[in-house]
Amino acid sequence: MVQIGKKVIGDGQPCFITFEAGATHDGVEAAKRLASLAAMAGGDAVKFQILDPDRLVADKKQLFTYEVMADRKTGRTVQKSEPLYDILRRRTLSHQEWRQVKSHCDSLGLAFFATVSFADEITLLAELGCDSIKIASADVNHWPLIREAAGTGMCVQLDTGHATIGEVEAAVDVVRSQGNEKIIIHNCPSGYPARLASINLRLIPTLKRIFSYPVAFSDHTPGWHMDVAAVALGANMVEKTITEDRSTASVEHLFSLEPHEMHAFVETIREVEIGLGSCRRILHPEERARRKMIRRSIYLRNPVRQGQPLTEQEVDFRRPGLGITPDRFDSLAGLRFRRDLPAGHLLTLADLE
């Protein structure tokens, strides 16, 4: 179990819903609008990405290819390529602007998470009083960064796309070496959007068996059917990207939820949790009452005389099941009737001796 704010994340707890806005905002005001949408939809947290592309990207001309919407009506997409540096630059905020976003999230009662790339960004999140910090899939083997994040005492979320189980185990060990047991492991399929064959939702129960920590699903697919399946497979957290406009010609918008979809996404997750119920067969009072109407009881097919023995030839098994149930007939066969009874009579134990 891991606690973030007042919410507990783990088996037996409601799925923790994080809305990812780090890739789809284009400035501080857009970031705050997306946080507001996340709160109104019923999300538990909003996640961003704190970036310094001047330090992070060595080759400013390195191209990144992704899909964007070409026709909203038909759903047709096209590939777009642009320098990774330009993509990251669009979503870069100053430390002071991040303070504004965090303050806004606090006012909404919304947890604020962020993926970090450098030590000073970790320091910023610690100063802001964040409960959790995220390590990107690309940095699962960046032990100095992971060690620095774990040393803050914040919950460390580990993205694991492209990582082997051994690399995930090593990253977990680095967090634990700092005395930090607050860990969440993300199954994070690669791709923008992710290819179906790369999602591997069955990895969720595998990760839960291997590690004693909550497991999350970071979704990079259109719609939310993969999130529903992840919850059904035991995901303790889901992370879903949101956008103000899915047709925006930039990375990750294509598979993001728009404002009118976000509340339905949360409601669907909550309904699935209720529907999953218990692994035990538990009958609620209304189910017990309802089953009497569809089950059967012993009724007399023909009139009977006092002293006549009960035999199967004298009865029918009919609905509703308000009397003696069919499974008790064998133990009663051969007993005699206490009095004359008409055809159609609902047999009771008081009728037999």
mmCIF file of all heavy atoms in Angstrom, residues 1 8-15 208 236:
data_model
loop_
_atom_site.group_PDB
_atom_site.id
_atom_site.type_symbol
_atom_site.label_atom_id
_atom_site.label_comp_id
_atom_site.label_asym_id
_atom_site.label_seq_id
_atom_site.Cartn_x
_atom_site.Cartn_y
_atom_site.Cartn_z
ATOM 1 N N MET A 1 0.836 -1.193 0.000
ATOM 2 C CA MET A 1 0.000 0.000 0.000
ATOM 3 C C MET A 1 0.884 1.262 0.000
ATOM 4 O O MET A 1 1.929 1.295 0.642
ATOM 5 C CB MET A 1 -0.892 0.033 1.242
ATOM 6 C CG MET A 1 -1.881 -1.116 1.328
ATOM 7 S SD MET A 1 -3.290 -0.888 0.248
ATOM 8 C CE MET A 1 -4.324 -2.232 0.788
ATOM 9 N N VAL A 8 -5.272 6.067 -0.370
ATOM 10 C CA VAL A 8 -4.421 4.887 -0.251
ATOM 11 C C VAL A 8 -4.492 4.118 -1.559
ATOM 12 O O VAL A 8 -5.574 3.899 -2.116
ATOM 13 C CB VAL A 8 -4.864 3.992 0.922
ATOM 14 C CG1 VAL A 8 -4.021 2.725 0.990
ATOM 15 C CG2 VAL A 8 -4.759 4.767 2.238
ATOM 16 N N ILE A 9 -3.345 3.727 -2.070
ATOM 17 C CA ILE A 9 -3.262 3.025 -3.348
ATOM 18 C C ILE A 9 -2.786 1.603 -3.088
ATOM 19 O O ILE A 9 -1.751 1.386 -2.466
ATOM 20 C CB ILE A 9 -2.293 3.731 -4.310
ATOM 21 C CG1 ILE A 9 -2.713 5.188 -4.512
ATOM 22 C CG2 ILE A 9 -2.235 3.005 -5.651
ATOM 23 C CD1 ILE A 9 -1.710 6.009 -5.275
ATOM 24 N N GLY A 10 -3.550 0.636 -3.570
ATOM 25 C CA GLY A 10 -3.167 -0.760 -3.383
ATOM 26 C C GLY A 10 -4.375 -1.658 -3.505
ATOM 27 O O GLY A 10 -5.506 -1.199 -3.726
ATOM 28 N N ASP A 11 -4.164 -2.952 -3.355
ATOM 29 C CA ASP A 11 -5.251 -3.916 -3.471
ATOM 30 C C ASP A 11 -6.314 -3.647 -2.406
ATOM 31 O O ASP A 11 -6.011 -3.345 -1.251
ATOM 32 C CB ASP A 11 -4.718 -5.336 -3.327
ATOM 33 C CG ASP A 11 -3.871 -5.755 -4.512
ATOM 34 O OD1 ASP A 11 -3.909 -5.069 -5.546
ATOM 35 O OD2 ASP A 11 -3.163 -6.779 -4.399
ATOM 36 N N GLY A 12 -7.569 -3.758 -2.812
ATOM 37 C CA GLY A 12 -8.676 -3.508 -1.900
ATOM 38 C C GLY A 12 -9.079 -2.058 -1.818
ATOM 39 O O GLY A 12 -10.041 -1.721 -1.122
ATOM 40 N N GLN A 13 -8.347 -1.182 -2.526
ATOM 41 C CA GLN A 13 -8.647 0.248 -2.530
ATOM 42 C C GLN A 13 -9.172 0.661 -3.907
ATOM 43 O O GLN A 13 -8.896 0.001 -4.904
ATOM 44 C CB GLN A 13 -7.389 1.057 -2.204
ATOM 45 C CG GLN A 13 -6.765 0.720 -0.861
ATOM 46 C CD GLN A 13 -7.675 1.064 0.302
ATOM 47 O OE1 GLN A 13 -8.362 2.089 0.286
ATOM 48 N NE2 GLN A 13 -7.689 0.208 1.326
ATOM 49 N N PRO A 14 -9.921 1.769 -3.990
ATOM 50 C CA PRO A 14 -10.361 2.248 -5.311
ATOM 51 C C PRO A 14 -9.166 2.532 -6.218
ATOM 52 O O PRO A 14 -8.113 2.969 -5.746
ATOM 53 C CB PRO A 14 -11.125 3.530 -4.986
ATOM 54 C CG PRO A 14 -11.530 3.386 -3.554
ATOM 55 C CD PRO A 14 -10.432 2.607 -2.887
ATOM 56 N N CYS A 15 -9.338 2.288 -7.494
ATOM 57 C CA CYS A 15 -8.284 2.594 -8.459
ATOM 58 C C CYS A 15 -7.989 4.092 -8.418
ATOM 59 O O CYS A 15 -8.896 4.916 -8.467
ATOM 60 C CB CYS A 15 -8.722 2.174 -9.857
ATOM 61 S SG CYS A 15 -7.509 2.517 -11.150
ATOM 62 N N LYS A 208 2.487 -7.735 -10.246
ATOM 63 C CA LYS A 208 1.932 -7.801 -8.903
ATOM 64 C C LYS A 208 2.439 -9.029 -8.152
ATOM 65 O O LYS A 208 2.588 -8.994 -6.921
ATOM 66 C CB LYS A 208 0.403 -7.797 -8.971
ATOM 67 C CG LYS A 208 -0.186 -6.458 -9.420
ATOM 68 C CD LYS A 208 -1.670 -6.559 -9.682
ATOM 69 C CE LYS A 208 -2.470 -6.669 -8.419
ATOM 70 N NZ LYS A 208 -2.545 -5.390 -7.672
ATOM 71 N N ASN A 236 -3.810 -0.964 -9.853
ATOM 72 C CA ASN A 236 -4.178 -0.137 -8.708
ATOM 73 C C ASN A 236 -4.269 1.346 -9.060
ATOM 74 O O ASN A 236 -4.805 2.140 -8.295
ATOM 75 C CB ASN A 236 -3.146 -0.301 -7.592
ATOM 76 C CG ASN A 236 -2.931 -1.740 -7.190
ATOM 77 O OD1 ASN A 236 -1.843 -2.284 -7.377
ATOM 78 N ND2 ASN A 236 -3.953 -2.384 -6.655
#
